[in-house]
Amino acid sequence: IDTSDLLVAAHDGDGHRLVTESLAPDVFIRLGPLPTSKPLWRWMETSAIPQIHIESSRLTDPLGTASTTIVLDPTDVLMSEPVPEAQTGYAGEWLAVDRIASAARDAALDDLAFPNEPEVARTTADHAPHGAILWLASSRPIRDVDAFARRRDDRIVLANRGVNGIDGTISSAIGAALSGTPVVLLIGDVAALHDATALAEAAALEVPLRIVVVNNDGGGIFELLPQASSSVIDRSDFERHWGTPHGLLLSAVSRGFGLQAWRVDDREALRDAVAAPVTGPELIEVVTDRSRLVDDHMHVRRSVADALRRSHEVE
């Protein structure tokens, strides 16, 4: 059986608390760096469950939660032993939970008015052309794909995640596209502006690169952090120091650098644009409202939590 058959993909969100209590493992085996999902690593951080951490990079265990650390390439571990069948028993129970959570998550996303950021991430990840590299920028893009995208086994996913920086993301994607393999880059507006001059290089080199920009006019990720709801921080101060609105359209900036670029405003147009063959450098912009971020995320989390709770009550 392939290891991907054991993948629990819809793991992000507080709605899984019931599950993590009833299906707590005897031990965590963590392969590689810290998980992208905050609810997942917070569970690992706050539980008393022993952790065996297998990693060969310098970023070994930033939270200091590993009981045992084995310095070894995680890929070597995954390739060394056959994976047992897992249709029943403990793994089977987790996979059953994943089916319920995935269905609830997808239905909740379908309910949200477009454009919204979770849907942009899901559509980009789900419909990127077969064989293309999916490159994910830091901040919301990598988190949203981790939380909302469906499972696919036919792609390579790359990201600049070493120290969570946003500088040089477009340049990194250009480097990958110079291999001749098409690249679809999902990036936020702030990260795109930090590397805006790379747009001219993409146009000059004519690389097979499609850039999907989520433009929420600033630092959308901070809407989901405590600063946004703090009673001691005035909204104008929040906007100045965290929101950092810029008032720019990335499609217009891109055209100024000689890149083909346009804006889409509905699901079908985004899906069709993402799914088309990548023939040259181009940019697709989706303008979103970051004031909706919290409500959109909470809608999905509540839907997953309700579905899991109903399933738990039936059992």
Side-chain angles (χ1 to χ4, degrees), residues 14 17 20-21 24 28 30 34 37-51 61 63-66:
D14 296 330
R17 191 173 294 124
T20 56
E21 290 173 357
F28 288 115
R30 177 151 61 94
L34 198 67
S37 166
K38 184 176 181 179
L40 178 58
W41 63 252
R42 281 299 304 273
W43 177 36
M44 300 173 71
E45 179 187 33
T46 57
S47 74
I49 301 169
Q51 290 183 40
D61 187 27
L63 298 179
T65 57

PDB file of all heavy atoms in Angstrom, residues 14 17 20-21 24 28 30 34 37-51 61 63-66:
ATOM      1  N   ASP A  14      -9.932  23.652  15.158  1.00  0.00           N
ATOM      2  CA  ASP A  14     -10.268  23.278  16.524  1.00  0.00           C
ATOM      3  C   ASP A  14     -11.400  22.266  16.590  1.00  0.00           C
ATOM      4  O   ASP A  14     -11.658  21.693  17.644  1.00  0.00           O
ATOM      5  CB  ASP A  14     -10.668  24.534  17.312  1.00  0.00           C
ATOM      6  CG  ASP A  14      -9.509  25.507  17.447  1.00  0.00           C
ATOM      7  OD1 ASP A  14      -8.363  25.030  17.473  1.00  0.00           O
ATOM      8  OD2 ASP A  14      -9.752  26.723  17.510  1.00  0.00           O
ATOM      9  N   ARG A  17     -11.041  18.625  18.263  1.00  0.00           N
ATOM     10  CA  ARG A  17     -10.700  18.385  19.665  1.00  0.00           C
ATOM     11  C   ARG A  17     -11.349  17.107  20.196  1.00  0.00           C
ATOM     12  O   ARG A  17     -10.734  16.337  20.941  1.00  0.00           O
ATOM     13  CB  ARG A  17     -11.116  19.598  20.501  1.00  0.00           C
ATOM     14  CG  ARG A  17     -10.564  19.554  21.919  1.00  0.00           C
ATOM     15  CD  ARG A  17     -10.854  20.845  22.669  1.00  0.00           C
ATOM     16  NE  ARG A  17     -10.131  21.949  22.081  1.00  0.00           N
ATOM     17  CZ  ARG A  17     -10.725  23.066  21.650  1.00  0.00           C
ATOM     18  NH1 ARG A  17     -12.034  23.190  21.715  1.00  0.00           N
ATOM     19  NH2 ARG A  17     -10.016  24.051  21.147  1.00  0.00           N
ATOM     20  N   THR A  20      -9.255  14.221  18.836  1.00  0.00           N
ATOM     21  CA  THR A  20      -7.921  14.064  19.416  1.00  0.00           C
ATOM     22  C   THR A  20      -7.990  13.536  20.840  1.00  0.00           C
ATOM     23  O   THR A  20      -7.045  12.904  21.323  1.00  0.00           O
ATOM     24  CB  THR A  20      -7.153  15.400  19.397  1.00  0.00           C
ATOM     25  OG1 THR A  20      -7.906  16.404  20.078  1.00  0.00           O
ATOM     26  CG2 THR A  20      -6.901  15.845  17.965  1.00  0.00           C
ATOM     27  N   GLU A  21      -9.113  13.777  21.505  1.00  0.00           N
ATOM     28  CA  GLU A  21      -9.270  13.227  22.853  1.00  0.00           C
ATOM     29  C   GLU A  21      -9.583  11.733  22.812  1.00  0.00           C
ATOM     30  O   GLU A  21      -9.068  10.955  23.615  1.00  0.00           O
ATOM     31  CB  GLU A  21     -10.383  13.978  23.598  1.00  0.00           C
ATOM     32  CG  GLU A  21     -10.003  15.417  23.951  1.00  0.00           C
ATOM     33  CD  GLU A  21     -11.179  16.185  24.541  1.00  0.00           C
ATOM     34  OE1 GLU A  21     -12.281  15.598  24.618  1.00  0.00           O
ATOM     35  OE2 GLU A  21     -10.992  17.357  24.912  1.00  0.00           O
ATOM     36  N   ALA A  24      -6.437   9.667  20.795  1.00  0.00           N
ATOM     37  CA  ALA A  24      -5.065  10.054  21.121  1.00  0.00           C
ATOM     38  C   ALA A  24      -4.128   8.852  20.955  1.00  0.00           C
ATOM     39  O   ALA A  24      -4.442   7.744  21.399  1.00  0.00           O
ATOM     40  CB  ALA A  24      -4.997  10.568  22.551  1.00  0.00           C
ATOM     41  N   PHE A  28       3.778   9.976  19.145  1.00  0.00           N
ATOM     42  CA  PHE A  28       3.882  10.698  17.881  1.00  0.00           C
ATOM     43  C   PHE A  28       5.226  10.365  17.241  1.00  0.00           C
ATOM     44  O   PHE A  28       6.262  10.407  17.919  1.00  0.00           O
ATOM     45  CB  PHE A  28       3.859  12.223  18.094  1.00  0.00           C
ATOM     46  CG  PHE A  28       2.528  12.785  18.479  1.00  0.00           C
ATOM     47  CD1 PHE A  28       2.349  13.373  19.722  1.00  0.00           C
ATOM     48  CD2 PHE A  28       1.459  12.771  17.587  1.00  0.00           C
ATOM     49  CE1 PHE A  28       1.130  13.934  20.074  1.00  0.00           C
ATOM     50  CE2 PHE A  28       0.239  13.319  17.939  1.00  0.00           C
ATOM     51  CZ  PHE A  28       0.073  13.894  19.191  1.00  0.00           C
ATOM     52  N   ARG A  30       7.252  12.119  14.392  1.00  0.00           N
ATOM     53  CA  ARG A  30       7.235  13.321  13.547  1.00  0.00           C
ATOM     54  C   ARG A  30       8.383  13.262  12.550  1.00  0.00           C
ATOM     55  O   ARG A  30       9.554  13.202  12.923  1.00  0.00           O
ATOM     56  CB  ARG A  30       7.344  14.580  14.415  1.00  0.00           C
ATOM     57  CG  ARG A  30       7.397  15.864  13.599  1.00  0.00           C
ATOM     58  CD  ARG A  30       6.817  17.037  14.375  1.00  0.00           C
ATOM     59  NE  ARG A  30       7.525  17.321  15.597  1.00  0.00           N
ATOM     60  CZ  ARG A  30       8.519  18.229  15.695  1.00  0.00           C
ATOM     61  NH1 ARG A  30       8.904  18.894  14.627  1.00  0.00           N
ATOM     62  NH2 ARG A  30       9.097  18.459  16.846  1.00  0.00           N
ATOM     63  N   LEU A  34       8.473  21.242  11.764  1.00  0.00           N
ATOM     64  CA  LEU A  34       7.217  21.498  12.439  1.00  0.00           C
ATOM     65  C   LEU A  34       6.068  21.503  11.433  1.00  0.00           C
ATOM     66  O   LEU A  34       6.193  22.073  10.351  1.00  0.00           O
ATOM     67  CB  LEU A  34       7.299  22.864  13.124  1.00  0.00           C
ATOM     68  CG  LEU A  34       6.298  23.185  14.220  1.00  0.00           C
ATOM     69  CD1 LEU A  34       6.538  22.291  15.418  1.00  0.00           C
ATOM     70  CD2 LEU A  34       6.432  24.656  14.606  1.00  0.00           C
ATOM     71  N   SER A  37       0.180  23.245  10.139  1.00  0.00           N
ATOM     72  CA  SER A  37      -1.064  23.484  10.862  1.00  0.00           C
ATOM     73  C   SER A  37      -0.802  23.819  12.326  1.00  0.00           C
ATOM     74  O   SER A  37      -0.252  23.010  13.075  1.00  0.00           O
ATOM     75  CB  SER A  37      -1.956  22.240  10.772  1.00  0.00           C
ATOM     76  OG  SER A  37      -3.011  22.312  11.710  1.00  0.00           O
ATOM     77  N   LYS A  38      -1.229  25.021  12.749  1.00  0.00           N
ATOM     78  CA  LYS A  38      -1.051  25.408  14.151  1.00  0.00           C
ATOM     79  C   LYS A  38      -1.852  24.529  15.108  1.00  0.00           C
ATOM     80  O   LYS A  38      -1.320  24.111  16.136  1.00  0.00           O
ATOM     81  CB  LYS A  38      -1.417  26.883  14.332  1.00  0.00           C
ATOM     82  CG  LYS A  38      -1.162  27.391  15.751  1.00  0.00           C
ATOM     83  CD  LYS A  38      -1.439  28.883  15.864  1.00  0.00           C
ATOM     84  CE  LYS A  38      -1.151  29.389  17.276  1.00  0.00           C
ATOM     85  NZ  LYS A  38      -1.392  30.847  17.383  1.00  0.00           N
ATOM     86  N   PRO A  39      -3.149  24.230  14.832  1.00  0.00           N
ATOM     87  CA  PRO A  39      -3.867  23.335  15.749  1.00  0.00           C
ATOM     88  C   PRO A  39      -3.179  21.984  15.908  1.00  0.00           C
ATOM     89  O   PRO A  39      -3.187  21.412  17.001  1.00  0.00           O
ATOM     90  CB  PRO A  39      -5.241  23.182  15.085  1.00  0.00           C
ATOM     91  CG  PRO A  39      -5.414  24.439  14.316  1.00  0.00           C
ATOM     92  CD  PRO A  39      -4.045  24.766  13.793  1.00  0.00           C
ATOM     93  N   LEU A  40      -2.550  21.484  14.830  1.00  0.00           N
ATOM     94  CA  LEU A  40      -1.876  20.195  14.917  1.00  0.00           C
ATOM     95  C   LEU A  40      -0.642  20.279  15.798  1.00  0.00           C
ATOM     96  O   LEU A  40      -0.452  19.459  16.708  1.00  0.00           O
ATOM     97  CB  LEU A  40      -1.503  19.706  13.514  1.00  0.00           C
ATOM     98  CG  LEU A  40      -0.749  18.379  13.436  1.00  0.00           C
ATOM     99  CD1 LEU A  40      -1.535  17.256  14.094  1.00  0.00           C
ATOM    100  CD2 LEU A  40      -0.429  18.027  11.975  1.00  0.00           C
ATOM    101  N   TRP A  41       0.224  21.285  15.552  1.00  0.00           N
ATOM    102  CA  TRP A  41       1.427  21.328  16.377  1.00  0.00           C
ATOM    103  C   TRP A  41       1.155  21.783  17.803  1.00  0.00           C
ATOM    104  O   TRP A  41       1.893  21.434  18.731  1.00  0.00           O
ATOM    105  CB  TRP A  41       2.554  22.117  15.722  1.00  0.00           C
ATOM    106  CG  TRP A  41       2.424  23.573  15.419  1.00  0.00           C
ATOM    107  CD1 TRP A  41       2.272  24.142  14.193  1.00  0.00           C
ATOM    108  CD2 TRP A  41       2.513  24.670  16.348  1.00  0.00           C
ATOM    109  NE1 TRP A  41       2.236  25.514  14.286  1.00  0.00           N
ATOM    110  CE2 TRP A  41       2.383  25.867  15.600  1.00  0.00           C
ATOM    111  CE3 TRP A  41       2.670  24.761  17.730  1.00  0.00           C
ATOM    112  CZ2 TRP A  41       2.415  27.129  16.185  1.00  0.00           C
ATOM    113  CZ3 TRP A  41       2.690  26.021  18.319  1.00  0.00           C
ATOM    114  CH2 TRP A  41       2.572  27.181  17.556  1.00  0.00           C
ATOM    115  N   ARG A  42       0.051  22.555  17.998  1.00  0.00           N
ATOM    116  CA  ARG A  42      -0.301  22.904  19.375  1.00  0.00           C
ATOM    117  C   ARG A  42      -0.753  21.662  20.143  1.00  0.00           C
ATOM    118  O   ARG A  42      -0.481  21.532  21.349  1.00  0.00           O
ATOM    119  CB  ARG A  42      -1.415  23.960  19.376  1.00  0.00           C
ATOM    120  CG  ARG A  42      -0.960  25.363  19.094  1.00  0.00           C
ATOM    121  CD  ARG A  42       0.042  25.878  20.113  1.00  0.00           C
ATOM    122  NE  ARG A  42      -0.445  25.813  21.471  1.00  0.00           N
ATOM    123  CZ  ARG A  42      -1.160  26.758  22.061  1.00  0.00           C
ATOM    124  NH1 ARG A  42      -1.466  27.862  21.383  1.00  0.00           N
ATOM    125  NH2 ARG A  42      -1.553  26.626  23.310  1.00  0.00           N
ATOM    126  N   TRP A  43      -1.461  20.762  19.468  1.00  0.00           N
ATOM    127  CA  TRP A  43      -1.841  19.502  20.109  1.00  0.00           C
ATOM    128  C   TRP A  43      -0.593  18.734  20.515  1.00  0.00           C
ATOM    129  O   TRP A  43      -0.490  18.229  21.637  1.00  0.00           O
ATOM    130  CB  TRP A  43      -2.705  18.684  19.139  1.00  0.00           C
ATOM    131  CG  TRP A  43      -3.098  17.322  19.644  1.00  0.00           C
ATOM    132  CD1 TRP A  43      -3.392  16.980  20.934  1.00  0.00           C
ATOM    133  CD2 TRP A  43      -3.245  16.131  18.877  1.00  0.00           C
ATOM    134  NE1 TRP A  43      -3.720  15.642  21.006  1.00  0.00           N
ATOM    135  CE2 TRP A  43      -3.637  15.099  19.758  1.00  0.00           C
ATOM    136  CE3 TRP A  43      -3.095  15.846  17.517  1.00  0.00           C
ATOM    137  CZ2 TRP A  43      -3.868  13.799  19.331  1.00  0.00           C
ATOM    138  CZ3 TRP A  43      -3.334  14.542  17.090  1.00  0.00           C
ATOM    139  CH2 TRP A  43      -3.715  13.529  17.978  1.00  0.00           C
ATOM    140  N   MET A  44       0.367  18.668  19.611  1.00  0.00           N
ATOM    141  CA  MET A  44       1.607  17.961  19.915  1.00  0.00           C
ATOM    142  C   MET A  44       2.398  18.661  21.018  1.00  0.00           C
ATOM    143  O   MET A  44       3.043  18.022  21.846  1.00  0.00           O
ATOM    144  CB  MET A  44       2.448  17.849  18.645  1.00  0.00           C
ATOM    145  CG  MET A  44       1.761  17.086  17.524  1.00  0.00           C
ATOM    146  SD  MET A  44       2.672  17.139  15.963  1.00  0.00           S
ATOM    147  CE  MET A  44       4.066  16.102  16.373  1.00  0.00           C
ATOM    148  N   GLU A  45       2.320  19.991  21.026  1.00  0.00           N
ATOM    149  CA  GLU A  45       3.093  20.762  22.007  1.00  0.00           C
ATOM    150  C   GLU A  45       2.525  20.634  23.414  1.00  0.00           C
ATOM    151  O   GLU A  45       3.275  20.561  24.400  1.00  0.00           O
ATOM    152  CB  GLU A  45       3.115  22.239  21.585  1.00  0.00           C
ATOM    153  CG  GLU A  45       3.878  23.142  22.541  1.00  0.00           C
ATOM    154  CD  GLU A  45       3.731  24.602  22.191  1.00  0.00           C
ATOM    155  OE1 GLU A  45       2.653  25.000  21.682  1.00  0.00           O
ATOM    156  OE2 GLU A  45       4.691  25.360  22.426  1.00  0.00           O
ATOM    157  N   THR A  46       1.195  20.617  23.544  1.00  0.00           N
ATOM    158  CA  THR A  46       0.576  20.670  24.864  1.00  0.00           C
ATOM    159  C   THR A  46       0.243  19.298  25.437  1.00  0.00           C
ATOM    160  O   THR A  46      -0.076  19.192  26.619  1.00  0.00           O
ATOM    161  CB  THR A  46      -0.720  21.504  24.798  1.00  0.00           C
ATOM    162  OG1 THR A  46      -1.599  20.943  23.810  1.00  0.00           O
ATOM    163  CG2 THR A  46      -0.403  22.944  24.417  1.00  0.00           C
ATOM    164  N   SER A  47       0.307  18.258  24.618  1.00  0.00           N
ATOM    165  CA  SER A  47      -0.015  16.925  25.142  1.00  0.00           C
ATOM    166  C   SER A  47       1.214  16.312  25.807  1.00  0.00           C
ATOM    167  O   SER A  47       2.344  16.737  25.595  1.00  0.00           O
ATOM    168  CB  SER A  47      -0.487  16.007  24.010  1.00  0.00           C
ATOM    169  OG  SER A  47       0.607  15.614  23.204  1.00  0.00           O
ATOM    170  N   ALA A  48       0.951  15.304  26.622  1.00  0.00           N
ATOM    171  CA  ALA A  48       2.042  14.594  27.288  1.00  0.00           C
ATOM    172  C   ALA A  48       2.462  13.354  26.505  1.00  0.00           C
ATOM    173  O   ALA A  48       3.235  12.533  27.010  1.00  0.00           O
ATOM    174  CB  ALA A  48       1.602  14.205  28.701  1.00  0.00           C
ATOM    175  N   ILE A  49       1.972  13.219  25.280  1.00  0.00           N
ATOM    176  CA  ILE A  49       2.277  12.043  24.465  1.00  0.00           C
ATOM    177  C   ILE A  49       3.735  12.110  23.998  1.00  0.00           C
ATOM    178  O   ILE A  49       4.170  13.139  23.471  1.00  0.00           O
ATOM    179  CB  ILE A  49       1.334  11.969  23.254  1.00  0.00           C
ATOM    180  CG1 ILE A  49      -0.126  11.899  23.733  1.00  0.00           C
ATOM    181  CG2 ILE A  49       1.669  10.784  22.365  1.00  0.00           C
ATOM    182  CD1 ILE A  49      -1.140  12.099  22.623  1.00  0.00           C
ATOM    183  N   PRO A  50       4.517  11.064  24.166  1.00  0.00           N
ATOM    184  CA  PRO A  50       5.922  11.085  23.740  1.00  0.00           C
ATOM    185  C   PRO A  50       6.041  11.313  22.230  1.00  0.00           C
ATOM    186  O   PRO A  50       5.194  10.862  21.454  1.00  0.00           O
ATOM    187  CB  PRO A  50       6.434   9.697  24.122  1.00  0.00           C
ATOM    188  CG  PRO A  50       5.473   9.194  25.132  1.00  0.00           C
ATOM    189  CD  PRO A  50       4.151   9.789  24.803  1.00  0.00           C
ATOM    190  N   GLN A  51       7.122  12.005  21.845  1.00  0.00           N
ATOM    191  CA  GLN A  51       7.361  12.283  20.436  1.00  0.00           C
ATOM    192  C   GLN A  51       8.739  11.779  20.019  1.00  0.00           C
ATOM    193  O   GLN A  51       9.736  12.079  20.680  1.00  0.00           O
ATOM    194  CB  GLN A  51       7.307  13.788  20.153  1.00  0.00           C
ATOM    195  CG  GLN A  51       5.940  14.402  20.264  1.00  0.00           C
ATOM    196  CD  GLN A  51       5.970  15.881  19.902  1.00  0.00           C
ATOM    197  OE1 GLN A  51       6.654  16.272  18.963  1.00  0.00           O
ATOM    198  NE2 GLN A  51       5.234  16.692  20.649  1.00  0.00           N
ATOM    199  N   ASP A  61      13.987  20.964  16.252  1.00  0.00           N
ATOM    200  CA  ASP A  61      12.855  20.890  17.173  1.00  0.00           C
ATOM    201  C   ASP A  61      12.658  22.237  17.863  1.00  0.00           C
ATOM    202  O   ASP A  61      12.975  22.399  19.040  1.00  0.00           O
ATOM    203  CB  ASP A  61      13.131  19.792  18.208  1.00  0.00           C
ATOM    204  CG  ASP A  61      11.943  19.532  19.114  1.00  0.00           C
ATOM    205  OD1 ASP A  61      10.801  19.774  18.694  1.00  0.00           O
ATOM    206  OD2 ASP A  61      12.165  19.087  20.260  1.00  0.00           O
ATOM    207  N   LEU A  63      10.193  23.798  19.117  1.00  0.00           N
ATOM    208  CA  LEU A  63       9.336  23.851  20.301  1.00  0.00           C
ATOM    209  C   LEU A  63       9.916  23.072  21.485  1.00  0.00           C
ATOM    210  O   LEU A  63       9.424  23.173  22.596  1.00  0.00           O
ATOM    211  CB  LEU A  63       7.943  23.299  19.967  1.00  0.00           C
ATOM    212  CG  LEU A  63       7.148  24.060  18.907  1.00  0.00           C
ATOM    213  CD1 LEU A  63       5.809  23.379  18.678  1.00  0.00           C
ATOM    214  CD2 LEU A  63       6.943  25.508  19.323  1.00  0.00           C
ATOM    215  N   GLY A  64      10.937  22.286  21.214  1.00  0.00           N
ATOM    216  CA  GLY A  64      11.563  21.505  22.279  1.00  0.00           C
ATOM    217  C   GLY A  64      10.650  20.449  22.861  1.00  0.00           C
ATOM    218  O   GLY A  64      10.705  20.149  24.057  1.00  0.00           O
ATOM    219  N   THR A  65       9.813  19.831  22.026  1.00  0.00           N
ATOM    220  CA  THR A  65       8.836  18.861  22.530  1.00  0.00           C
ATOM    221  C   THR A  65       9.220  17.410  22.257  1.00  0.00           C
ATOM    222  O   THR A  65       8.553  16.499  22.731  1.00  0.00           O
ATOM    223  CB  THR A  65       7.459  19.118  21.891  1.00  0.00           C
ATOM    224  OG1 THR A  65       7.584  19.067  20.466  1.00  0.00           O
ATOM    225  CG2 THR A  65       6.928  20.486  22.289  1.00  0.00           C
ATOM    226  N   ALA A  66      10.272  17.182  21.497  1.00  0.00           N
ATOM    227  CA  ALA A  66      10.639  15.807  21.141  1.00  0.00           C
ATOM    228  C   ALA A  66      11.216  15.066  22.334  1.00  0.00           C
ATOM    229  O   ALA A  66      12.083  15.591  23.043  1.00  0.00           O
ATOM    230  CB  ALA A  66      11.638  15.814  19.994  1.00  0.00           C
TER     231      ALA A  66
END
